[in-house]
mmCIF file of all heavy atoms in Angstrom:
data_model
loop_
_atom_site.group_PDB
_atom_site.id
_atom_site.type_symbol
_atom_site.label_atom_id
_atom_site.label_comp_id
_atom_site.label_asym_id
_atom_site.label_seq_id
_atom_site.Cartn_x
_atom_site.Cartn_y
_atom_site.Cartn_z
ATOM 1 N N ASP A 769 0.202 19.858 -19.563
ATOM 2 C CA ASP A 769 -0.724 20.584 -20.423
ATOM 3 C C ASP A 769 -0.762 19.903 -21.795
ATOM 4 O O ASP A 769 0.128 19.120 -22.114
ATOM 5 C CB ASP A 769 -0.261 22.037 -20.561
ATOM 6 C CG ASP A 769 -0.490 22.813 -19.268
ATOM 7 O OD1 ASP A 769 -1.524 22.567 -18.614
ATOM 8 O OD2 ASP A 769 0.353 23.652 -18.918
ATOM 9 N N TRP A 771 0.057 20.793 -24.658
ATOM 10 C CA TRP A 771 1.265 20.959 -25.478
ATOM 11 C C TRP A 771 2.488 20.253 -24.871
ATOM 12 O O TRP A 771 3.530 20.193 -25.490
ATOM 13 C CB TRP A 771 1.570 22.453 -25.682
ATOM 14 C CG TRP A 771 1.453 23.262 -24.432
ATOM 15 C CD1 TRP A 771 2.402 23.430 -23.467
ATOM 16 C CD2 TRP A 771 0.313 24.009 -24.013
ATOM 17 N NE1 TRP A 771 1.925 24.224 -22.464
ATOM 18 C CE2 TRP A 771 0.649 24.609 -22.773
ATOM 19 C CE3 TRP A 771 -0.959 24.242 -24.558
ATOM 20 C CZ2 TRP A 771 -0.260 25.409 -22.067
ATOM 21 C CZ3 TRP A 771 -1.844 25.047 -23.851
ATOM 22 C CH2 TRP A 771 -1.490 25.621 -22.624
ATOM 23 N N ASN A 775 2.224 14.590 -29.486
ATOM 24 C CA ASN A 775 1.049 14.664 -30.362
ATOM 25 C C ASN A 775 -0.195 15.155 -29.620
ATOM 26 O O ASN A 775 -1.306 14.700 -29.874
ATOM 27 C CB ASN A 775 0.771 13.311 -31.009
ATOM 28 C CG ASN A 775 1.828 12.969 -32.039
ATOM 29 O OD1 ASN A 775 2.284 13.840 -32.773
ATOM 30 N ND2 ASN A 775 2.251 11.713 -32.074
ATOM 31 N N HIS A 776 0.037 16.091 -28.731
ATOM 32 C CA HIS A 776 -1.051 16.653 -27.923
ATOM 33 C C HIS A 776 -1.910 15.579 -27.281
ATOM 34 O O HIS A 776 -3.106 15.756 -27.075
ATOM 35 C CB HIS A 776 -1.918 17.583 -28.755
ATOM 36 C CG HIS A 776 -1.397 18.992 -28.737
ATOM 37 N ND1 HIS A 776 -0.360 19.390 -29.524
ATOM 38 C CD2 HIS A 776 -1.744 20.067 -28.010
ATOM 39 C CE1 HIS A 776 -0.101 20.673 -29.294
ATOM 40 N NE2 HIS A 776 -0.927 21.101 -28.369
ATOM 41 N N ARG A 778 -2.430 12.386 -28.389
ATOM 42 C CA ARG A 778 -2.854 11.242 -29.217
ATOM 43 C C ARG A 778 -1.701 10.258 -29.383
ATOM 44 O O ARG A 778 -0.561 10.653 -29.625
ATOM 45 C CB ARG A 778 -3.326 11.724 -30.591
ATOM 46 C CG ARG A 778 -4.779 12.169 -30.599
ATOM 47 C CD ARG A 778 -5.765 11.002 -30.570
ATOM 48 N NE ARG A 778 -5.857 10.315 -31.845
ATOM 49 C CZ ARG A 778 -6.707 10.635 -32.807
ATOM 50 N NH1 ARG A 778 -7.566 11.600 -32.643
ATOM 51 N NH2 ARG A 778 -6.705 9.972 -33.944
ATOM 52 N N ALA A 781 -0.268 6.003 -34.558
ATOM 53 C CA ALA A 781 -0.943 4.871 -35.210
ATOM 54 C C ALA A 781 -0.121 3.597 -35.044
ATOM 55 O O ALA A 781 -0.669 2.505 -34.867
ATOM 56 C CB ALA A 781 -1.153 5.188 -36.691
ATOM 57 N N TRP A 796 -11.437 6.924 -28.587
ATOM 58 C CA TRP A 796 -11.101 8.031 -27.687
ATOM 59 C C TRP A 796 -10.346 7.567 -26.455
ATOM 60 O O TRP A 796 -9.831 8.362 -25.700
ATOM 61 C CB TRP A 796 -12.367 8.761 -27.242
ATOM 62 C CG TRP A 796 -13.391 7.847 -26.625
ATOM 63 C CD1 TRP A 796 -14.428 7.239 -27.269
ATOM 64 C CD2 TRP A 796 -13.469 7.430 -25.262
ATOM 65 N NE1 TRP A 796 -15.134 6.469 -26.385
ATOM 66 C CE2 TRP A 796 -14.580 6.573 -25.152
ATOM 67 C CE3 TRP A 796 -12.715 7.729 -24.115
ATOM 68 C CZ2 TRP A 796 -14.952 5.998 -23.938
ATOM 69 C CZ3 TRP A 796 -13.086 7.141 -22.914
ATOM 70 C CH2 TRP A 796 -14.191 6.286 -22.840
ATOM 71 N N ASN A 901 -23.962 25.490 -14.845
ATOM 72 C CA ASN A 901 -23.620 26.848 -15.266
ATOM 73 C C ASN A 901 -24.883 27.542 -15.777
ATOM 74 O O ASN A 901 -25.956 26.929 -15.840
ATOM 75 C CB ASN A 901 -22.450 26.849 -16.265
ATOM 76 C CG ASN A 901 -22.774 26.127 -17.573
ATOM 77 O OD1 ASN A 901 -23.890 26.245 -18.085
ATOM 78 N ND2 ASN A 901 -21.805 25.397 -18.104
ATOM 79 N N CYS A 902 -24.743 28.827 -16.125
ATOM 80 C CA CYS A 902 -25.943 29.626 -16.439
ATOM 81 C C CYS A 902 -26.761 29.002 -17.558
ATOM 82 O O CYS A 902 -27.993 28.986 -17.506
ATOM 83 C CB CYS A 902 -25.541 31.031 -16.849
ATOM 84 S SG CYS A 902 -24.711 31.906 -15.535
ATOM 85 N N VAL A 944 -9.833 21.024 -6.870
ATOM 86 C CA VAL A 944 -9.346 22.323 -7.340
ATOM 87 C C VAL A 944 -9.758 22.589 -8.794
ATOM 88 O O VAL A 944 -9.202 23.452 -9.464
ATOM 89 C CB VAL A 944 -7.816 22.453 -7.173
ATOM 90 C CG1 VAL A 944 -7.444 22.463 -5.697
ATOM 91 C CG2 VAL A 944 -7.081 21.334 -7.901
ATOM 92 N N ALA A 945 -10.747 21.830 -9.261
ATOM 93 C CA ALA A 945 -11.402 22.120 -10.549
ATOM 94 C C ALA A 945 -10.447 22.111 -11.743
ATOM 95 O O ALA A 945 -10.481 23.005 -12.582
ATOM 96 C CB ALA A 945 -12.169 23.447 -10.474
ATOM 97 N N ASP A 947 -10.206 19.177 -13.637
ATOM 98 C CA ASP A 947 -10.791 18.209 -14.562
ATOM 99 C C ASP A 947 -9.722 17.357 -15.255
ATOM 100 O O ASP A 947 -9.712 17.203 -16.472
ATOM 101 C CB ASP A 947 -11.687 18.906 -15.593
ATOM 102 C CG ASP A 947 -12.522 17.894 -16.378
ATOM 103 O OD1 ASP A 947 -12.764 16.789 -15.858
ATOM 104 O OD2 ASP A 947 -12.907 18.215 -17.522
ATOM 105 N N GLY A 1058 -23.276 5.996 -27.453
ATOM 106 C CA GLY A 1058 -23.044 6.326 -28.852
ATOM 107 C C GLY A 1058 -24.273 6.937 -29.494
ATOM 108 O O GLY A 1058 -24.403 6.976 -30.709
ATOM 109 N N ASP A 1070 -22.535 37.270 -22.253
ATOM 110 C CA ASP A 1070 -21.743 37.782 -21.121
ATOM 111 C C ASP A 1070 -21.481 36.730 -20.055
ATOM 112 O O ASP A 1070 -20.773 36.980 -19.086
ATOM 113 C CB ASP A 1070 -22.460 38.981 -20.481
ATOM 114 C CG ASP A 1070 -22.597 40.132 -21.463
ATOM 115 O OD1 ASP A 1070 -21.726 40.237 -22.353
ATOM 116 O OD2 ASP A 1070 -23.577 40.894 -21.359
ATOM 117 N N TYR A 1072 -20.130 33.193 -18.447
ATOM 118 C CA TYR A 1072 -18.998 32.281 -18.612
ATOM 119 C C TYR A 1072 -18.897 31.432 -17.350
ATOM 120 O O TYR A 1072 -19.840 31.421 -16.533
ATOM 121 C CB TYR A 1072 -17.708 33.096 -18.848
ATOM 122 C CG TYR A 1072 -16.674 32.430 -19.731
ATOM 123 C CD1 TYR A 1072 -16.919 31.259 -20.415
ATOM 124 C CD2 TYR A 1072 -15.408 33.017 -19.891
ATOM 125 C CE1 TYR A 1072 -15.954 30.679 -21.233
ATOM 126 C CE2 TYR A 1072 -14.434 32.441 -20.705
ATOM 127 C CZ TYR A 1072 -14.714 31.268 -21.372
ATOM 128 O OH TYR A 1072 -13.750 30.705 -22.178
ATOM 129 N N TYR A 1073 -17.796 30.761 -17.170
ATOM 130 C CA TYR A 1073 -17.591 29.955 -15.961
ATOM 131 C C TYR A 1073 -16.133 30.084 -15.577
ATOM 132 O O TYR A 1073 -15.290 30.489 -16.386
ATOM 133 C CB TYR A 1073 -17.964 28.484 -16.193
ATOM 134 C CG TYR A 1073 -17.669 27.991 -17.591
ATOM 135 C CD1 TYR A 1073 -16.375 27.658 -17.971
ATOM 136 C CD2 TYR A 1073 -18.681 27.914 -18.559
ATOM 137 C CE1 TYR A 1073 -16.094 27.236 -19.256
ATOM 138 C CE2 TYR A 1073 -18.398 27.493 -19.852
ATOM 139 C CZ TYR A 1073 -17.101 27.161 -20.193
ATOM 140 O OH TYR A 1073 -16.815 26.762 -21.472
ATOM 141 N N TYR A 1074 -15.860 29.730 -14.333
ATOM 142 C CA TYR A 1074 -14.483 29.770 -13.843
ATOM 143 C C TYR A 1074 -14.129 28.384 -13.340
ATOM 144 O O TYR A 1074 -14.848 27.808 -12.526
ATOM 145 C CB TYR A 1074 -14.361 30.788 -12.706
ATOM 146 C CG TYR A 1074 -13.008 30.798 -12.029
ATOM 147 C CD1 TYR A 1074 -12.036 31.726 -12.391
ATOM 148 C CD2 TYR A 1074 -12.703 29.867 -11.034
ATOM 149 C CE1 TYR A 1074 -10.787 31.722 -11.793
ATOM 150 C CE2 TYR A 1074 -11.459 29.857 -10.431
ATOM 151 C CZ TYR A 1074 -10.508 30.787 -10.811
ATOM 152 O OH TYR A 1074 -9.276 30.773 -10.210
ATOM 153 N N ARG A 1076 -12.800 24.217 -14.089
ATOM 154 C CA ARG A 1076 -13.299 23.102 -14.901
ATOM 155 C C ARG A 1076 -13.900 22.063 -13.965
ATOM 156 O O ARG A 1076 -13.187 21.377 -13.240
ATOM 157 C CB ARG A 1076 -12.142 22.519 -15.720
ATOM 158 C CG ARG A 1076 -11.495 23.572 -16.619
ATOM 159 C CD ARG A 1076 -10.326 23.056 -17.423
ATOM 160 N NE ARG A 1076 -9.160 22.727 -16.638
ATOM 161 C CZ ARG A 1076 -8.278 23.615 -16.180
ATOM 162 N NH1 ARG A 1076 -8.445 24.923 -16.421
ATOM 163 N NH2 ARG A 1076 -7.240 23.225 -15.469
ATOM 164 N N GLN A 1105 -25.776 12.067 -19.983
ATOM 165 C CA GLN A 1105 -24.763 12.954 -19.427
ATOM 166 C C GLN A 1105 -24.412 13.966 -20.500
ATOM 167 O O GLN A 1105 -24.602 13.708 -21.682
ATOM 168 C CB GLN A 1105 -23.509 12.170 -19.026
ATOM 169 C CG GLN A 1105 -23.729 11.244 -17.842
ATOM 170 C CD GLN A 1105 -22.469 10.467 -17.479
ATOM 171 O OE1 GLN A 1105 -21.365 10.965 -17.589
ATOM 172 N NE2 GLN A 1105 -22.662 9.236 -17.048
ATOM 173 N N GLN A 1112 -14.953 27.445 -29.496
ATOM 174 C CA GLN A 1112 -14.053 28.388 -30.163
ATOM 175 C C GLN A 1112 -14.846 29.519 -30.799
ATOM 176 O O GLN A 1112 -15.947 29.314 -31.283
ATOM 177 C CB GLN A 1112 -13.289 27.680 -31.284
ATOM 178 C CG GLN A 1112 -12.087 26.908 -30.820
ATOM 179 C CD GLN A 1112 -11.412 26.217 -32.001
ATOM 180 O OE1 GLN A 1112 -11.849 26.325 -33.148
ATOM 181 N NE2 GLN A 1112 -10.355 25.486 -31.698
ATOM 182 N N GLY A 1117 -16.447 33.556 -42.218
ATOM 183 C CA GLY A 1117 -16.042 34.583 -43.173
ATOM 184 C C GLY A 1117 -15.014 35.566 -42.638
ATOM 185 O O GLY A 1117 -14.548 36.431 -43.380
ATOM 186 N N LEU A 1119 -11.351 36.490 -41.469
ATOM 187 C CA LEU A 1119 -10.011 35.918 -41.693
ATOM 188 C C LEU A 1119 -8.938 36.966 -41.431
ATOM 189 O O LEU A 1119 -9.213 38.164 -41.370
ATOM 190 C CB LEU A 1119 -9.878 35.453 -43.148
ATOM 191 C CG LEU A 1119 -10.672 34.222 -43.576
ATOM 192 C CD1 LEU A 1119 -10.540 34.030 -45.074
ATOM 193 C CD2 LEU A 1119 -10.180 33.005 -42.829
ATOM 194 N N GLY A 1120 -7.716 36.494 -41.299
ATOM 195 C CA GLY A 1120 -6.574 37.399 -41.215
ATOM 196 C C GLY A 1120 -6.559 38.192 -39.918
ATOM 197 O O GLY A 1120 -6.895 37.671 -38.849
ATOM 198 N N LYS A 1124 -7.771 37.377 -35.915
ATOM 199 C CA LYS A 1124 -6.899 37.396 -34.739
ATOM 200 C C LYS A 1124 -7.572 38.112 -33.569
ATOM 201 O O LYS A 1124 -7.323 37.804 -32.414
ATOM 202 C CB LYS A 1124 -5.554 38.070 -35.070
ATOM 203 C CG LYS A 1124 -4.678 37.282 -36.021
ATOM 204 C CD LYS A 1124 -4.067 36.040 -35.407
ATOM 205 C CE LYS A 1124 -2.964 36.314 -34.417
ATOM 206 N NZ LYS A 1124 -1.742 36.877 -35.015
ATOM 207 N N PHE A 1128 -9.335 34.862 -29.603
ATOM 208 C CA PHE A 1128 -8.973 34.779 -28.182
ATOM 209 C C PHE A 1128 -10.191 34.985 -27.277
ATOM 210 O O PHE A 1128 -10.102 34.865 -26.069
ATOM 211 C CB PHE A 1128 -7.875 35.794 -27.837
ATOM 212 C CG PHE A 1128 -6.598 35.572 -28.611
ATOM 213 C CD1 PHE A 1128 -5.970 36.630 -29.264
ATOM 214 C CD2 PHE A 1128 -6.035 34.310 -28.696
ATOM 215 C CE1 PHE A 1128 -4.800 36.423 -29.982
ATOM 216 C CE2 PHE A 1128 -4.857 34.092 -29.414
ATOM 217 C CZ PHE A 1128 -4.237 35.154 -30.064
ATOM 218 N N TYR A 1202 -27.016 11.694 -33.282
ATOM 219 C CA TYR A 1202 -26.215 10.566 -33.740
ATOM 220 C C TYR A 1202 -26.659 9.299 -33.035
ATOM 221 O O TYR A 1202 -27.182 9.343 -31.925
ATOM 222 C CB TYR A 1202 -24.720 10.820 -33.510
ATOM 223 C CG TYR A 1202 -24.368 11.179 -32.087
ATOM 224 C CD1 TYR A 1202 -23.852 10.229 -31.210
ATOM 225 C CD2 TYR A 1202 -24.567 12.473 -31.612
ATOM 226 C CE1 TYR A 1202 -23.538 10.562 -29.896
ATOM 227 C CE2 TYR A 1202 -24.268 12.813 -30.302
ATOM 228 C CZ TYR A 1202 -23.744 11.856 -29.451
ATOM 229 O OH TYR A 1202 -23.455 12.180 -28.154
ATOM 230 N N SER A 1204 -24.722 5.702 -33.157
ATOM 231 C CA SER A 1204 -23.818 4.640 -33.628
ATOM 232 C C SER A 1204 -23.589 3.655 -32.495
ATOM 233 O O SER A 1204 -22.974 3.984 -31.493
ATOM 234 C CB SER A 1204 -22.489 5.193 -34.145
ATOM 235 O OG SER A 1204 -22.284 6.501 -33.708
ATOM 236 N N ASP B 802 -18.461 11.496 -32.917
ATOM 237 C CA ASP B 802 -19.186 10.779 -31.869
ATOM 238 C C ASP B 802 -18.247 10.409 -30.733
ATOM 239 O O ASP B 802 -18.560 10.571 -29.566
ATOM 240 C CB ASP B 802 -19.804 9.505 -32.425
ATOM 241 C CG ASP B 802 -20.958 9.815 -33.351
ATOM 242 O OD1 ASP B 802 -21.380 10.989 -33.410
ATOM 243 O OD2 ASP B 802 -21.424 8.901 -34.017
ATOM 244 N N TYR B 806 -18.206 11.010 -26.517
ATOM 245 C CA TYR B 806 -18.102 10.033 -25.433
ATOM 246 C C TYR B 806 -17.036 10.463 -24.445
ATOM 247 O O TYR B 806 -17.213 10.362 -23.242
ATOM 248 C CB TYR B 806 -17.711 8.651 -25.932
ATOM 249 C CG TYR B 806 -18.520 8.143 -27.077
ATOM 250 C CD1 TYR B 806 -18.021 7.165 -27.907
ATOM 251 C CD2 TYR B 806 -19.777 8.657 -27.311
ATOM 252 C CE1 TYR B 806 -18.756 6.701 -28.956
ATOM 253 C CE2 TYR B 806 -20.518 8.209 -28.372
ATOM 254 C CZ TYR B 806 -20.004 7.233 -29.206
ATOM 255 O OH TYR B 806 -20.736 6.784 -30.256
ATOM 256 N N VAL B 807 -15.937 10.923 -24.964
ATOM 257 C CA VAL B 807 -14.867 11.356 -24.077
ATOM 258 C C VAL B 807 -15.391 12.453 -23.178
ATOM 259 O O VAL B 807 -15.228 12.429 -21.968
ATOM 260 C CB VAL B 807 -13.686 11.936 -24.867
ATOM 261 C CG1 VAL B 807 -12.650 12.471 -23.899
ATOM 262 C CG2 VAL B 807 -13.093 10.886 -25.741
ATOM 263 N N MET B 809 -18.301 13.052 -22.283
ATOM 264 C CA MET B 809 -19.214 12.508 -21.291
ATOM 265 C C MET B 809 -18.449 11.917 -20.123
ATOM 266 O O MET B 809 -18.695 12.214 -18.980
ATOM 267 C CB MET B 809 -20.028 11.354 -21.886
ATOM 268 C CG MET B 809 -20.954 11.743 -22.980
ATOM 269 S SD MET B 809 -22.093 12.982 -22.442
ATOM 270 C CE MET B 809 -21.722 14.233 -23.608
ATOM 271 N N LEU B 810 -17.546 11.059 -20.448
ATOM 272 C CA LEU B 810 -16.874 10.283 -19.410
ATOM 273 C C LEU B 810 -16.013 11.168 -18.542
ATOM 274 O O LEU B 810 -15.857 10.932 -17.353
ATOM 275 C CB LEU B 810 -16.010 9.190 -20.039
ATOM 276 C CG LEU B 810 -16.771 8.091 -20.745
ATOM 277 C CD1 LEU B 810 -15.881 6.881 -20.930
ATOM 278 C CD2 LEU B 810 -18.010 7.674 -19.971
ATOM 279 N N THR B 811 -15.432 12.160 -19.123
ATOM 280 C CA THR B 811 -14.551 13.007 -18.345
ATOM 281 C C THR B 811 -15.334 14.155 -17.746
ATOM 282 O O THR B 811 -14.809 14.909 -16.957
ATOM 283 C CB THR B 811 -13.451 13.589 -19.225
ATOM 284 O OG1 THR B 811 -14.070 14.315 -20.275
ATOM 285 C CG2 THR B 811 -12.594 12.494 -19.798
ATOM 286 N N SER B 825 -9.129 14.862 -27.866
ATOM 287 C CA SER B 825 -8.773 13.891 -28.891
ATOM 288 C C SER B 825 -7.328 14.082 -29.300
ATOM 289 O O SER B 825 -6.752 13.252 -29.976
ATOM 290 C CB SER B 825 -9.661 14.077 -30.106
ATOM 291 O OG SER B 825 -9.330 15.292 -30.729
ATOM 292 N N ALA B 828 -4.435 18.219 -32.030
ATOM 293 C CA ALA B 828 -3.357 19.160 -32.269
ATOM 294 C C ALA B 828 -2.049 18.580 -31.752
ATOM 295 O O ALA B 828 -2.017 17.659 -30.978
ATOM 296 C CB ALA B 828 -3.649 20.473 -31.573
ATOM 297 N N SER B 829 -0.978 19.135 -32.200
ATOM 298 C CA SER B 829 0.311 18.591 -31.805
ATOM 299 C C SER B 829 1.386 19.655 -31.861
ATOM 300 O O SER B 829 1.340 20.576 -32.656
ATOM 301 C CB SER B 829 0.681 17.469 -32.749
ATOM 302 O OG SER B 829 2.067 17.299 -32.762
ATOM 303 N N ARG B 830 2.369 19.490 -31.011
ATOM 304 C CA ARG B 830 3.545 20.340 -31.100
ATOM 305 C C ARG B 830 4.712 19.392 -31.227
ATOM 306 O O ARG B 830 5.614 19.379 -30.430
ATOM 307 C CB ARG B 830 3.655 21.196 -29.839
ATOM 308 C CG ARG B 830 4.763 22.212 -29.886
ATOM 309 C CD ARG B 830 5.054 22.750 -28.506
ATOM 310 N NE ARG B 830 5.329 21.688 -27.568
ATOM 311 C CZ ARG B 830 6.043 21.857 -26.471
ATOM 312 N NH1 ARG B 830 6.531 23.038 -26.171
ATOM 313 N NH2 ARG B 830 6.251 20.846 -25.644
ATOM 314 N N PRO B 860 -2.302 35.786 -39.481
ATOM 315 C CA PRO B 860 -1.021 36.481 -39.702
ATOM 316 C C PRO B 860 -0.453 37.041 -38.394
ATOM 317 O O PRO B 860 -1.126 37.022 -37.366
ATOM 318 C CB PRO B 860 -1.424 37.613 -40.638
ATOM 319 C CG PRO B 860 -2.852 37.914 -40.270
ATOM 320 C CD PRO B 860 -3.464 36.596 -39.854
ATOM 321 N N SER B 864 0.106 39.548 -31.780
ATOM 322 C CA SER B 864 0.339 38.156 -31.361
ATOM 323 C C SER B 864 1.009 37.428 -32.525
ATOM 324 O O SER B 864 0.909 37.859 -33.673
ATOM 325 C CB SER B 864 -0.981 37.488 -30.971
ATOM 326 O OG SER B 864 -1.933 37.628 -32.002
ATOM 327 N N PRO B 865 1.685 36.316 -32.249
ATOM 328 C CA PRO B 865 2.445 35.633 -33.308
ATOM 329 C C PRO B 865 1.563 35.116 -34.437
ATOM 330 O O PRO B 865 0.364 34.906 -34.260
ATOM 331 C CB PRO B 865 3.099 34.457 -32.571
ATOM 332 C CG PRO B 865 2.973 34.742 -31.122
ATOM 333 C CD PRO B 865 1.804 35.647 -30.944
ATOM 334 N N GLU B 882 2.101 10.968 -37.649
ATOM 335 C CA GLU B 882 2.237 10.002 -36.557
ATOM 336 C C GLU B 882 0.925 9.312 -36.198
ATOM 337 O O GLU B 882 0.895 8.132 -35.888
ATOM 338 C CB GLU B 882 2.740 10.731 -35.290
ATOM 339 C CG GLU B 882 4.192 11.119 -35.356
ATOM 340 C CD GLU B 882 5.018 10.370 -34.332
ATOM 341 O OE1 GLU B 882 4.496 10.136 -33.221
ATOM 342 O OE2 GLU B 882 6.160 10.025 -34.641
ATOM 343 N N ASP B 928 -14.315 31.000 -48.423
ATOM 344 C CA ASP B 928 -14.994 30.979 -47.127
ATOM 345 C C ASP B 928 -16.466 31.375 -47.270
ATOM 346 O O ASP B 928 -17.355 30.744 -46.705
ATOM 347 C CB ASP B 928 -14.278 31.949 -46.171
ATOM 348 C CG ASP B 928 -14.460 31.552 -44.719
ATOM 349 O OD1 ASP B 928 -15.612 31.504 -44.266
ATOM 350 O OD2 ASP B 928 -13.451 31.286 -44.035
ATOM 351 N N GLN B 944 -9.973 24.934 -39.535
ATOM 352 C CA GLN B 944 -10.280 24.463 -38.185
ATOM 353 C C GLN B 944 -9.035 23.901 -37.500
ATOM 354 O O GLN B 944 -8.752 24.196 -36.348
ATOM 355 C CB GLN B 944 -11.382 23.400 -38.255
ATOM 356 C CG GLN B 944 -11.756 22.782 -36.919
ATOM 357 C CD GLN B 944 -12.363 23.807 -35.967
ATOM 358 O OE1 GLN B 944 -13.322 24.478 -36.314
ATOM 359 N NE2 GLN B 944 -11.765 23.959 -34.799
ATOM 360 N N LEU B 952 -3.731 25.844 -29.233
ATOM 361 C CA LEU B 952 -3.158 24.821 -28.352
ATOM 362 C C LEU B 952 -1.635 24.861 -28.312
ATOM 363 O O LEU B 952 -1.012 23.994 -27.716
ATOM 364 C CB LEU B 952 -3.612 23.432 -28.800
ATOM 365 C CG LEU B 952 -5.019 23.033 -28.363
ATOM 366 C CD1 LEU B 952 -5.414 21.716 -29.010
ATOM 367 C CD2 LEU B 952 -5.101 22.911 -26.851
ATOM 368 N N TYR B 963 -4.839 31.300 -19.046
ATOM 369 C CA TYR B 963 -4.172 30.038 -18.693
ATOM 370 C C TYR B 963 -4.218 29.847 -17.184
ATOM 371 O O TYR B 963 -3.671 30.664 -16.436
ATOM 372 C CB TYR B 963 -2.729 30.082 -19.186
ATOM 373 C CG TYR B 963 -1.905 28.878 -18.763
ATOM 374 C CD1 TYR B 963 -2.225 27.594 -19.210
ATOM 375 C CD2 TYR B 963 -0.795 29.038 -17.933
ATOM 376 C CE1 TYR B 963 -1.461 26.504 -18.834
ATOM 377 C CE2 TYR B 963 -0.021 27.948 -17.556
ATOM 378 C CZ TYR B 963 -0.356 26.683 -18.004
ATOM 379 O OH TYR B 963 0.400 25.607 -17.634
ATOM 380 N N PRO B 967 -7.286 26.041 -11.165
ATOM 381 C CA PRO B 967 -8.256 27.100 -10.841
ATOM 382 C C PRO B 967 -8.518 27.235 -9.341
ATOM 383 O O PRO B 967 -8.813 28.319 -8.853
ATOM 384 C CB PRO B 967 -9.525 26.652 -11.574
ATOM 385 C CG PRO B 967 -9.056 25.734 -12.644
ATOM 386 C CD PRO B 967 -7.849 25.039 -12.083
ATOM 387 N N GLY B 968 -8.471 26.133 -8.610
ATOM 388 C CA GLY B 968 -8.702 26.199 -7.163
ATOM 389 C C GLY B 968 -10.135 25.927 -6.771
ATOM 390 O O GLY B 968 -10.397 25.322 -5.745
ATOM 391 N N ASP B 971 -16.630 28.099 -10.328
ATOM 392 C CA ASP B 971 -17.713 29.085 -10.260
ATOM 393 C C ASP B 971 -18.549 28.924 -11.527
ATOM 394 O O ASP B 971 -18.056 29.178 -12.629
ATOM 395 C CB ASP B 971 -17.120 30.498 -10.173
ATOM 396 C CG ASP B 971 -18.201 31.574 -10.231
ATOM 397 O OD1 ASP B 971 -19.397 31.239 -10.358
ATOM 398 O OD2 ASP B 971 -17.841 32.762 -10.162
ATOM 399 N N CYS B 973 -21.035 30.521 -12.819
ATOM 400 C CA CYS B 973 -21.558 31.668 -13.566
ATOM 401 C C CYS B 973 -20.648 32.888 -13.447
ATOM 402 O O CYS B 973 -21.055 33.934 -12.944
ATOM 403 C CB CYS B 973 -22.978 31.990 -13.104
ATOM 404 S SG CYS B 973 -24.165 30.722 -13.566
ATOM 405 N N ALA B 974 -19.429 32.753 -13.887
ATOM 406 C CA ALA B 974 -18.544 33.914 -13.954
ATOM 407 C C ALA B 974 -18.941 34.737 -15.183
ATOM 408 O O ALA B 974 -19.580 34.217 -16.099
ATOM 409 C CB ALA B 974 -17.104 33.457 -14.072
ATOM 410 N N VAL B 976 -17.924 37.124 -18.566
ATOM 411 C CA VAL B 976 -16.841 37.267 -19.535
ATOM 412 C C VAL B 976 -15.928 38.416 -19.103
ATOM 413 O O VAL B 976 -14.705 38.347 -19.221
ATOM 414 C CB VAL B 976 -17.418 37.512 -20.949
ATOM 415 C CG1 VAL B 976 -16.320 37.928 -21.914
ATOM 416 C CG2 VAL B 976 -18.126 36.257 -21.456
ATOM 417 N N ALA B 983 -10.926 33.831 -23.673
ATOM 418 C CA ALA B 983 -11.347 32.434 -23.496
ATOM 419 C C ALA B 983 -10.356 31.698 -22.601
ATOM 420 O O ALA B 983 -9.186 32.073 -22.514
ATOM 421 C CB ALA B 983 -11.424 31.742 -24.852
ATOM 422 N N TRP B 984 -10.859 30.657 -21.958
ATOM 423 C CA TRP B 984 -9.968 29.787 -21.175
ATOM 424 C C TRP B 984 -9.047 29.011 -22.101
ATOM 425 O O TRP B 984 -9.460 28.580 -23.173
ATOM 426 C CB TRP B 984 -10.778 28.803 -20.331
ATOM 427 C CG TRP B 984 -11.556 29.458 -19.238
ATOM 428 C CD1 TRP B 984 -12.911 29.553 -19.142
ATOM 429 C CD2 TRP B 984 -11.021 30.119 -18.091
ATOM 430 N NE1 TRP B 984 -13.253 30.232 -17.999
ATOM 431 C CE2 TRP B 984 -12.113 30.593 -17.334
ATOM 432 C CE3 TRP B 984 -9.725 30.367 -17.629
ATOM 433 C CZ2 TRP B 984 -11.956 31.293 -16.139
ATOM 434 C CZ3 TRP B 984 -9.569 31.067 -16.438
ATOM 435 C CH2 TRP B 984 -10.677 31.520 -15.707
#
Side-chain angles (χ1 to χ4, degrees):
Chain A
D769 288 323
W771 45 84
N775 290 321
H776 272 80
R778 276 285 285 270
W796 54 266
N901 63 39
C902 297
V944 294
D947 192 24
D1070 298 331
Y1072 212 8
Y1073 34 78
Y1074 174 97
R1076 302 179 291 280
Q1105 292 179 35
Q1112 278 179 0
L1119 289 173
K1124 292 288 288 292
F1128 299 131
Y1202 54 100
S1204 17
Chain B
D802 289 350
Y806 310 158
V807 176
M809 295 303 122
L810 293 198
T811 58
S825 69
S829 156
R830 186 195 54 156
S864 53
E882 286 246 324
D928 206 300
Q944 178 64 54
L952 280 173
Y963 175 64
D971 175 359
C973 292
V976 169
W984 292 113

